[in-house]
Amino acid sequence: MKIKGLILDVDGTLVDSNDAHIRAWLGALSRNGYNCTYEEIRRLIGMGSDNLLPTAVGVEKDSPEGKRLSDAWREIFERDFLPELKAFPRTRDLLLTLKKRGLKLVAASSAEEDMLGKLLKIAGADDLLEESTSADDAENSKPAPDIVEAALKNIGLGRDEVLMLGDTPYDIEASGKLGIGTIALRCGGWDDEGLKGAVSVYDDPADLLAHLDESPIFRP
């Protein structure tokens, strides 16, 4: 079956933001008396806060403590990190090429809708997508399949007509639960062992663009 669309993760895939998310979470947690290491939080990036907080510190996102931590994270992230974020090299070139070759593009991010809009603008992708799907469109974040499933409905294609583009094991797990393959990028900080289960692995958007014709998107 010909691939007709791509479901796109954003953080760590299109935008070089994973380190910023880690440092913002560490700041928010430390401010509220929780001691976590960089590596402990790094391995949870790609999850939404509904999964990250219970796993990291045993706090539910919707509890008063969870709201306090989430608000602190957002304040730190938007103040200290968001203004400096950049897209990975050739991200827009990749997306433009995919559009010109007839693919539909939809974002599927664990970020909340207003934050996702800012990240898509940084990625140079806000004018290239059919739709965007955020944490506001799904009950559970990755690695649950809810966000990917909502994106699939938005793009209007069958599961065998799309691939996921992501950077974490949670993208691979979420899309895999729906029978959708994932092209993984190493630029989010995971090595090939961590990205096991992807249909193909590339360094970053520029590497995928350089090998596009032999990638699973267009390979016969």
Side-chain angles (χ1 to χ4, degrees):
M1 178 69 70
K2 180 180 178 182
I3 298 300
K4 298 179 180 178
L6 216 56
I7 299 173
L8 305 166
D9 176 61
V10 179
D11 284 299
T13 300
L14 306 181
V15 178
D16 189 2
S17 55
N18 282 0
D19 180 72
H21 282 297
I22 298 164
R23 295 186 184 280
W25 274 118
L26 287 172
L29 292 167
S30 176
R31 177 191 295 181
N32 288 276
Y34 297 94
N35 294 313
C36 295
T37 67
Y38 184 96
E39 182 60 23
E40 285 170 341
I41 300 302
R42 186 196 73 80
R43 297 191 65 81
L44 302 179
I45 295 300
M47 295 180 172
S49 56
D50 60 324
N51 287 315
L52 185 149
L53 284 173
T55 304
V57 293
V59 173
E60 295 299 322
K61 177 189 175 184
D62 294 332
S63 68
E65 180 72 351
K67 187 175 188 310
R68 181 161 50 250
L69 291 170
S70 295
D71 289 347
W73 164 80
R74 187 182 183 101
E75 175 197 337
I76 295 168
F77 183 79
E78 291 197 325
R79 182 191 67 214
D80 296 345
F81 297 106
L82 186 65
E84 305 302 321
L85 293 184
K86 292 184 175 14
F88 288 109
R90 306 213 65 189
T91 291
R92 183 170 173 84
D93 291 340
L94 171 64
L95 300 181
L96 277 169
T97 300
L98 292 169
K99 286 288 288 185
K100 287 176 181 176
R101 294 177 71 164
L103 269 75
K104 291 183 175 182
L105 305 175
V106 60
S109 170
S110 294
E112 295 180 355
E113 185 175 3
D114 61 335
M115 180 68 73
L116 177 57
K118 295 172 184 177
L119 293 167
L120 288 173
K121 188 170 183 179
I122 291 167
D126 51 330
D127 61 334
L128 299 177
L129 305 184
E130 305 291 326
E131 293 282 350
S132 60
T133 308
S134 69
D136 299 318
D137 300 309
E139 185 174 348
N140 300 298
S141 71
K142 301 168 191 170
D146 303 27
I147 291 171
V148 179
E149 188 168 25
L152 187 64
K153 290 178 182 176
N154 284 338
I155 205 172
L157 295 172
R159 299 181 187 193
D160 54 354
E161 296 177 307
V162 301
L163 289 169
M164 176 91 187
L165 182 65
D167 69 297
T168 74
Y170 312 118
D171 296 314
I172 298 168
E173 183 178 346
S175 59
K177 288 173 180 175
L178 300 173
I180 296 170
T182 296
I183 295 174
L185 302 180
R186 301 181 183 98
C187 50
W190 292 85
D191 60 19
D192 287 15
E193 179 63 25
L195 299 173
K196 188 165 54 179
V199 296
S200 194
V201 182
Y202 299 89
D203 288 338
D204 53 21
D207 188 30
L208 175 56
L209 179 60
H211 299 93
L212 201 53
D213 283 330
E214 65 229 45
S215 77
I217 303 171
F218 296 112
R219 191 170 58 216

